[in-house]
């Protein structure tokens, strides 16, 4: 199917919004499903959508940025690399450290998939930094949720639903994010510890006032990252011990290209409590202080889904095409998802089936 055309990136916000609005309203009138497309870097994270492509990469550009207020608003099709470069020029960054899963990945894709990087347990996830969003609902109506300052986010946080919804609840037009100062200094340490001992060591470190910003185990060794002021980082590094490493190596951990996470097959993210799990998950590489296990395989073993649920966790696909993309929902949770979907997309036209066949 031919995608809907959009104005070029130098088109005005009004022109870009009008083109998208016309496309969604036309689809709604014809009851024609839409596949919301960005750069495609996160395509493996969801189920295949059958619908007319709605291209978002033309809807790009920073709408507003005030470094003094630590707030940035940008259109969904803005390349993540451009956002991060602008923030870096001003000594700032996205605290949730979204994985860059390929060149050209967009800010909208990073928010819509809700995937956070190694800093998540130390600074917060995507949803924690979304202050507001402007979307098109399934009728083609422009809705604005939240604001651009932290004190405005009280009430029904509908904008937070957009983080991790994979475009099933609305077409993201632009999003406002709280940003943070970049740390003055970063250091990395590597320790030879088996997984179970490494979990205990990290749990102890996280209870102390240390500038930890990453804790990853590759199956053999524990990798730690420290971020903050020079004196605090140097003191923490001396206390932790181990070998010094290049902090730049954490780019591969963030972007899921580390050798322990790569391969020709798929990659699955298994969110679990930060304890030492038994069974099939115990030997897997982990990140986020032990809260995320990584399985590099075409598909999880059939029993893994039930095991994850029994431990209070869930599985989602990051790369690959085999098997379900997300942990099956209980009947009660599925009904809740369906009610929210019906409120914002009553005809089920936006990325239908992207997460689950029923929504």
């Amino acid at each position: 199917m031919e995608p809907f055309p959009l104005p070029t990136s130098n088109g005005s916000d009004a022109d870009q919004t009008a083109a998208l609005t016309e496309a969604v309203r036309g689809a709604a009138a014809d009851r024609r499903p839409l596949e919301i497309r960005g750069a495609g870097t996160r395509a493996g994270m969801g189920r295949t959508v059958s619908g007319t492509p709605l291209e978002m990469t033309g809807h790009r550009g920073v709408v507003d940025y005030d470094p003094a207020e630590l707030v940035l608003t940008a259109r969904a099709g803005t390349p993540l690399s451009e956002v991060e470069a602008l923030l870096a020029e001003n000594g700032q960054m996205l605290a949730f450290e979204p994985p860059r899963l390929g060149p050209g990945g967009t800010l909208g894709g990073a928010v819509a998939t809700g995937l956070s990087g190694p800093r998540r347990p130390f600074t917060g996830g995507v949803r924690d930094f979304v202050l507001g969003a402007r979307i098109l609902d399934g009728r083609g109506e422009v809705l604005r949720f939240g604001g651009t300052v932290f004190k405005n986010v009280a009430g029904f946080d509908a904008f937070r639903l957009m983080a991790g919804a994979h475009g099933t609840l609305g077409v993201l037009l632009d999003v406002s994010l709280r940003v943070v100062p970049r740390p003055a200094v970063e250091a990395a340490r590597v320790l030879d510890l088996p997984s179970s001992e490494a979990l205990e060591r990290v749990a102890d470190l996280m209870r102390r006032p240390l500038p930890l910003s990453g804790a990853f185990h590759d199956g053999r060794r524990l990798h730690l990252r420290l971020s903050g002021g020079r004196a605090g980082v140097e003191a923490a590094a001396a206390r932790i011990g181990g070998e010094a490493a290049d902090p730049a190596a954490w780019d591969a951990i963030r972007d899921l290209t580390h050798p322990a996470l790569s391969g020709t097959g798929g990659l699955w993210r298994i969110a679990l409590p930060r304890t030492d799990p038994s069974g099939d998950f115990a030997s897997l590489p982990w990140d986020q202080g032990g809260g995320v296990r990584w399985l590099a395989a075409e598909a999880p073993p059939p029993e893994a889904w039930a095991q994850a649920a029994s431990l209070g966790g869930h599985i989602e696909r990051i790369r690959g095409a085999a098997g379900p993309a997300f942990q099956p929902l209980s009947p009660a949770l599925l009904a809740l998802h369906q009610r929210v979907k019906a409120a914002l997309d009553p005809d089920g036209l936006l990325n239908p089936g992207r997460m689950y066949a029923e929504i």
Side-chain angles (χ1 to χ4, degrees), residues 213-260:
S213 63
F216 169 78
H217 197 277
D218 64 12
R220 299 185 304 107
R221 310 180 82 193
L222 173 63
H223 302 256
L224 297 174
R225 183 177 58 187
L226 302 163
S227 305
R230 182 173 299 279
V233 167
E234 290 179 351
R239 180 174 184 172
I240 289 170
E243 302 174 14
D246 184 356
W250 275 81
D251 284 351
I253 299 172
R254 168 188 175 172
D255 297 334
L256 309 181
T257 57
H258 187 279

Side-chain angles (χ1 to χ4, degrees), residues 113-115 120 127 268-273 281 291-294 300 304-318 325-329 333 355-356:
T113 54
L115 191 62
R120 181 179 181 180
R127 193 172 285 114
W268 302 80
R269 179 183 184 272
I270 307 172
L272 296 171
F281 304 134
V292 170
R293 299 268 166 164
W294 295 108
W305 303 92
Q307 288 178 2
S310 70
L311 293 169
H314 64 270
I315 300 175
E316 65 176 303
R317 187 175 66 214
I318 303 301
F326 298 93
Q327 184 78 26
L329 296 173
L333 278 177
M355 299 183 72
Y356 300 97

Side-chain angles (χ1 to χ4, degrees), residues 159-314:
F159 55 91
R160 297 190 191 277
L161 295 177
M162 302 304 142
H166 288 256
T168 60
L169 299 180
V171 180
L172 270 177
L173 294 175
D174 51 61
V175 60
S176 296
L177 298 167
R178 180 163 53 96
V179 301
V180 300
R182 295 178 68 86
V185 176
E186 289 197 320
R189 311 297 293 183
V190 180
L191 293 85
D192 284 311
L193 288 174
S195 181
S196 58
E197 291 183 28
L199 283 171
E200 293 178 3
R201 181 68 181 275
V202 170
D204 178 66
L205 293 174
M206 291 178 69
R207 287 191 290 266
R208 303 176 186 277
L210 298 174
L212 273 178
S213 63
F216 169 78
H217 197 277
D218 64 12
R220 299 185 304 107
R221 310 180 82 193
L222 173 63
H223 302 256
L224 297 174
R225 183 177 58 187
L226 302 163
S227 305
R230 182 173 299 279
V233 167
E234 290 179 351
R239 180 174 184 172
I240 289 170
E243 302 174 14
D246 184 356
W250 275 81
D251 284 351
I253 299 172
R254 168 188 175 172
D255 297 334
L256 309 181
T257 57
H258 187 279
L261 310 177
S262 60
T264 58
L267 181 66
W268 302 80
R269 179 183 184 272
I270 307 172
L272 296 171
R274 288 189 190 91
T275 55
D276 193 7
S278 58
D280 296 335
F281 304 134
S283 61
L284 295 177
W286 49 261
D287 193 9
Q288 298 187 14
V292 170
R293 299 268 166 164
W294 295 108
L295 173 64
E298 286 293 337
E303 65 275 11
W305 303 92
Q307 288 178 2
S310 70
L311 293 169
H314 64 270

Side-chain angles (χ1 to χ4, degrees), residues 309 327-338 356 358:
Q327 184 78 26
L329 296 173
S330 68
L333 278 177
L334 177 59
L336 177 60
H337 277 251
Q338 289 173 323
Y356 300 97
E358 300 87 348

